[in-house]
Amino acid sequence: MRNVDANTLTNAVIRSFDGAADPRLREIIASLVSHLHDFAREVKLTPEEWQAGIAFMHHAAKITNESRSEFVLTSDVLGLSSLVDLIASSGGTERSALGPFHAEGSPLLAVGGDLKKDNDGEAMLVQGRVLDSAGRPVARAQLDFWQAAINGKYWQQDPEQSPDNLRFRMITGDDGEYAFTTVRPAPYTVPYDGPVGDLLRAGGRHAWRPAHFHFIVSAPGHHALTTEVFFADDPYIDEDAVFGVRESLLTQITSDNDASLAQKHGLNTPYPSVRFDFRLAAATPARG
Amino acid sequence: MRNVDANTLTNAVIRSFDGAADPRLREIIASLVSHLHDFAREVKLTPEEWQAGIAFMHHAAKITNESRSEFVLTSDVLGLSSLVDLIASSGGTERSALGPFHAEGSPLLAVGGDLKKDNDGEAMLVQGRVLDSAGRPVARAQLDFWQAAINGKYWQQDPEQSPDNLRFRMITGDDGEYAFTTVRPAPYTVPYDGPVGDLLRAGGRHAWRPAHFHFIVSAPGHHALTTEVFFADDPYIDEDAVFGVRESLLTQITSDNDASLAQKHGLNTPYPSVRFDFRLAAATPARG
């Protein structure tokens, strides 16, 4: 090892992990080391630039806490989180960002329930079905839902919101249907007062995300699906700061006039409405 | 951007930085994103593995403070810090790790001064010259030196040591000579109670570094040199946990009998002695 140079070092580092008990760890580390070293060689990374990278991490460490992760955000704005979702997508609805604001234990809401309560903003109906890969309804699937308020903030970021605001869990009926009323969310910026914000500014980039709903849809026998649902007319739909948008996750807002539905959901006619169906991939390959 | 897939996403991310004012930033980010994405695709990184990586960063963030950087240590044990040093080496003495224990403002020590004071351990003489790339002595070069005590700890890690223990700055005379007496350092482990320790254990690796001295050697008109000096007979010389060892940075300890030198430095004969000459590369190319 005493004779390493800028090319042979990489193999020496990879070989140092030869004793790893887990072959998957060895595979991941070997690939990570190989690509990180290729990067440093390709750009001839200088000690000063390396130190700037370390300073970025130290700054990120300082502002990361239980309700804010600058490391997840770094991964997001470099497209790595999105890439992992794209790699994992396998037959069902496409995956998209979990983001940092999911919380366990959201209150249960019955199908057709109201989530908007006293939130400001445009009331809308959201409905659809949970289907399996063959297009059949999935009974008793769980939707775990969360969204930002009209001010672009989640309850964790906003002392004015109760901890249960704008989030729920819902169990579909035998027909796989879900429905709820809520307020239309607004585009918002990811936090840009930290090193990621510095990077975005230096890169000539903005921090905006198009408005979206978050869902985790799960059911026994199926892969859990973490995804987002967007609005096709959003001004930021083609420049999401975290690369979460997929064509297949866009909805069109329609203006609906169903008087009985409106009455049932406490809406005035016409009311804005979106429909989105989720498809869950089977956890084990389906048999012919 | 709404039509990205696991292959086209990479270019979309790189293009998002097209507005960067600094072309070097654009170059570095493009290469980093490209290699990070190649890594994720190559190993088909799963969302669970990505979350384990994020958890590693969060754990690192929690234990990083002014006197301990788990991020530098991560870079060290993956050979990235060492690679950056190897890339930067250009003609003079090879560079090696700065490590996390350099502190500004070390006390000045005259050439030939004593650093061991009341430290436990084997007293030894360390001497040599600072030379330019043509082998001529560099007058009034500065050596900034630090080392661990015999217990393997730097003063920052050990409340028993005074903040000025085992570190100094020294200015060479017209002959480029430096000399001091100190105690022979011992091998020690890098901190392994954090996520890097978990990684080393999972990788079947130990945390030991061979014993070493740290130097930053600088002089007007020359590139500052950050490096380490090792002992050829060290048991860990070929398995440094942070890949800092270079053949050219090894010294042989000799047993010397120069009675007048011994008296001058307060040593008994025979005394252990090492000699190491530094070569500084010119900051601007030398002219024929």
Side-chain angles (χ1 to χ4, degrees), chain A residues 18 33 35-36 56 65 96 119 174 179 209 234 239 242 249 272:
Chain A
D18 277 353
V33 166
H35 285 291
L36 275 180
F56 182 102
N65 55 40
S96 188
N119 282 275
D174 288 344
R209 294 212 65 199
D234 193 290
E239 38 185 297
V242 308
L249 301 177

Side-chain angles (χ1 to χ4, degrees), chain B residues 21 34 62 81 117 119 121 171 184 218 250 270 274:
Chain B
S34 176
K62 240 176 205 159
S81 317
K117 297 178 184 158
N119 281 274
I171 309 295
R184 180 174 178 169
S218 57
L250 302 190
V274 299

Side-chain angles (χ1 to χ4, degrees), chain B residues 184-188 209-213 229-231 234-237 245:
Chain B
R184 180 174 178 169
Y188 64 78
R209 295 211 64 199
H212 54 274
F213 295 134
V229 171
F230 302 89
F231 306 98
D234 193 290
Y236 296 104
I237 203 69
V245 177

Side-chain angles (χ1 to χ4, degrees), chain A residues 98-120:
Chain A
L98 172 64
F101 296 114
H102 176 250
E104 297 293 336
S106 287
L108 278 167
L109 187 70
V111 174
D114 177 56
L115 192 67
K116 67 181 184 304
K117 297 180 184 159
D118 58 353
N119 282 275
D120 290 335

Side-chain angles (χ1 to χ4, degrees), chain A residues 62-81:
Chain A
K62 239 176 206 158
I63 62 174
T64 291
N65 55 40
E66 290 304 314
S67 62
R68 173 176 183 180
S69 171
E70 197 77 357
F71 295 97
V72 170
L73 189 58
T74 303
S75 168
D76 289 351
V77 302
L78 296 182
L80 185 59
S81 318

